[in-house]
Amino acid sequence: MPLVDALGRPLRSLRVSVTDRCNLRCEYCMPEAEYAWLSRDDLLHFEEISRLIDVFVGLGVDKVRLTGGEPLLRRNLPQLVELLALKPLKDLALTTNAMLLEEFAAPLKLAGLRRLNVSLDTLHADRFFQLTRQNDHARVMSGIGAASRLFDSIKLDAVIMRGLNDDELESLLDYGASIGAEVRFIEYMDVGGATRWTSDTVVPRREIVERLAACFGVVTALEEPGSTAPADRYVLPDGRIFGIISSTTEPFCQDCDRARITADGVFFTCLYATDGLALREPIRRGASPEAVAALIEERWTARRDRGAEERVEVRDRAAYIPVATLREHPHLEMHKRGG
Ligand code: SAM
């Protein structure tokens, strides 16, 4: 019997953050001047991550995505991929901003990584600087180029913000088609870390579809029964497929089978959850797989999170967690728990 939560949702998908460090300072994720970082001793070792994943696999997880922070900043990451590639997983993927991808695409592929999600919010170098505070757009584009020659399956994820990059819907789709990558537009979310979030800056899914229909013709929603993927997928008249992740205006908590582990081993059952379960200590003191599984099982079976749906009900919605609280509780940051 699969492990299900209090609302009947199975635990299938795990996002594993391998570092909280990032080499970009994206406006929607890390806009502050300073952050509190995890110390190196706090990080789970690769062997500890591997043992934890064995426990999760035993509980029904069959999809693992490595994330962060920027996962490629974690030293020797391909070694972790090599360990995880041996597990009985349906999907092993990585999310990256592509800053280091030119160097790492080949070692990751060799290590057994199957899929890549690359975050790319703009095709303009000046805008990239405005969005990320780094002047490295060319480096990102070379990284994506290198990966697209090696990986069959790449998704390009773009957070769309009104007035910042919402005039790039068509050009991002064209660029995706040129390298054989599927583009996914992500609604700007008011998650922890998005301290400058305002509802005016969100471009809702409905508007994205309308704008693309005005440009390309009829946009048809793909029927994908049983899919628990966060993106709803659409097809354009020329056959191009793209996705929209509408967590802000039309969330999909009822299908959510995802959990997250921070780089220091805290288990979160929702992106909006404020309370996590620390697993590093039991793993580090050598608790048996059964004992660790029991802790996770207890947490998951009690899970009632509907974080994104509850946010929709909030009137006068503003940033979810104020900066002062984030400073006190850095685990509430998106870059700590892994997007
Ligand atoms: N550094 C990697 C990257 O850039 O893909 C992985 C970590 S990043 C936190 C993972 C994803 O979270 C990225 O696609 C990013 O765009 C998304 N993200 C972060 N903050 C967000 C927000 N406020 N709203 C929507 N997506 C967000």
Side-chain angles (χ1 to χ4, degrees), residues 196-241:
R196 302 194 183 156
W197 188 91
T198 62
S199 57
D200 300 346
T201 347
V202 177
V203 183
R205 177 237 296 260
R206 193 175 316 149
E207 187 179 330
I208 294 176
V209 171
E210 278 167 14
R211 287 210 211 171
L212 290 173
C215 179
F216 294 111
V218 181
V219 174
T220 312
L222 287 178
E223 296 293 329
E224 297 184 290
S227 165
T228 56
D232 290 319
R233 294 167 84 226
Y234 299 84
V235 61
L236 295 175
D238 64 9
R240 273 188 281 168
I241 291 176

Side-chain angles (χ1 to χ4, degrees), residues 28-29 67-70 95-97 119 159 186-187 189 191 194 334 339:
Y28 50 75
C29 188
T67 179
E70 171 47 42
T95 300
T96 175
N97 59 29
S119 302
V159 177
I186 305 178
E187 288 182 352
M189 293 173 72
V191 283
M334 175 79 141

Side-chain angles (χ1 to χ4, degrees), residues 14-288:
L14 190 66
R15 307 243 165 127
V16 180
S17 171
V18 291
T19 179
D20 60 339
R21 314 266 164 156
C22 195
N23 38 14
L24 297 181
R25 290 289 178 275
C26 296
E27 173 69 16
Y28 50 75
C29 188
M30 300 182 76
E32 304 305 319
E34 283 181 26
Y35 287 96
W37 305 110
L38 296 173
S39 84
R40 190 180 285 190
D41 295 342
D42 291 338
L43 302 186
L44 292 179
H45 308 150
F46 287 171
E47 178 270 333
E48 292 170 337
I49 296 177
S50 170
R51 270 197 284 141
L52 251 186
I53 289 188
D54 286 338
V55 173
F56 278 104
V57 167
L59 293 171
V61 164
D62 56 12
K63 292 185 212 142
V64 169
R65 167 180 301 283
L66 299 177
T67 179
E70 171 47 42
L72 297 183
L73 287 176
R74 178 75 188 253
R75 196 177 298 170
N76 300 325
L77 190 76
Q79 287 177 11
L80 175 63
V81 172
E82 221 169 282
L83 278 179
L84 303 189
L86 302 171
K87 317 273 182 212
L89 296 171
K90 271 203 223 146
D91 193 19
L92 175 60
L94 174 114
T95 300
T96 175
N97 59 29
M99 288 275 281
L100 298 169
L101 201 50
E102 189 161 23
E103 177 188 347
F104 280 104
L108 287 170
K109 175 81 183 168
L110 203 65
L113 188 73
R114 295 174 217 164
R115 286 199 312 112
L116 271 178
N117 278 54
V118 178
S119 302
L120 178 72
D121 304 315
T122 179
L123 296 169
H124 301 295
D126 53 342
R127 214 172 254 188
F128 181 85
F129 178 70
Q130 194 187 347
L131 266 165
T132 67
R133 305 212 301 261
Q134 295 296 319
N135 229 335
D136 283 306
H137 191 251
R139 188 169 162 193
V140 163
M141 298 311 282
S142 323
I144 298 175
S148 70
R149 290 187 285 279
L150 289 168
F151 284 86
D152 298 330
S153 179
I154 296 189
K155 292 208 168 84
L156 290 180
D157 290 336
V159 177
I160 301 302
M161 298 169 77
R162 195 179 301 284
L164 261 166
N165 63 348
D166 60 324
D167 56 349
E168 293 192 59
L169 300 176
E170 298 96 68
S171 49
L172 282 165
L173 280 182
D174 288 342
Y175 174 69
S178 76
I179 61 160
E182 188 170 316
V183 175
R184 306 191 311 171
F185 300 114
I186 305 178
E187 288 182 352
Y188 183 17
M189 293 173 72
D190 59 346
V191 283
T195 48
R196 302 194 183 156
W197 188 91
T198 62
S199 57
D200 300 346
T201 347
V202 177
V203 183
R205 177 237 296 260
R206 193 175 316 149
E207 187 179 330
I208 294 176
V209 171
E210 278 167 14
R211 287 210 211 171
L212 290 173
C215 179
F216 294 111
V218 181
V219 174
T220 312
L222 287 178
E223 296 293 329
E224 297 184 290
S227 165
T228 56
D232 290 319
R233 294 167 84 226
Y234 299 84
V235 61
L236 295 175
D238 64 9
R240 273 188 281 168
I241 291 176
F242 67 95
I244 302 182
I245 301 181
S246 57
S247 325
T248 304
T249 66
E250 297 175 72
F252 34 80
C253 301
Q254 68 276 10
D255 295 328
C256 180
D257 60 0
R258 282 175 294 285
R260 292 175 161 80
I261 295 274
T262 63
D264 60 342
V266 183
F267 177 57
F268 283 100
T269 54
C270 177
L271 203 44
Y272 289 90
T274 48
D275 180 31
L277 170 69
L279 292 173
R280 185 187 61 203
E281 196 271 324
I283 280 282
R284 208 157 265 186
R285 82 170 135 75
S288 68

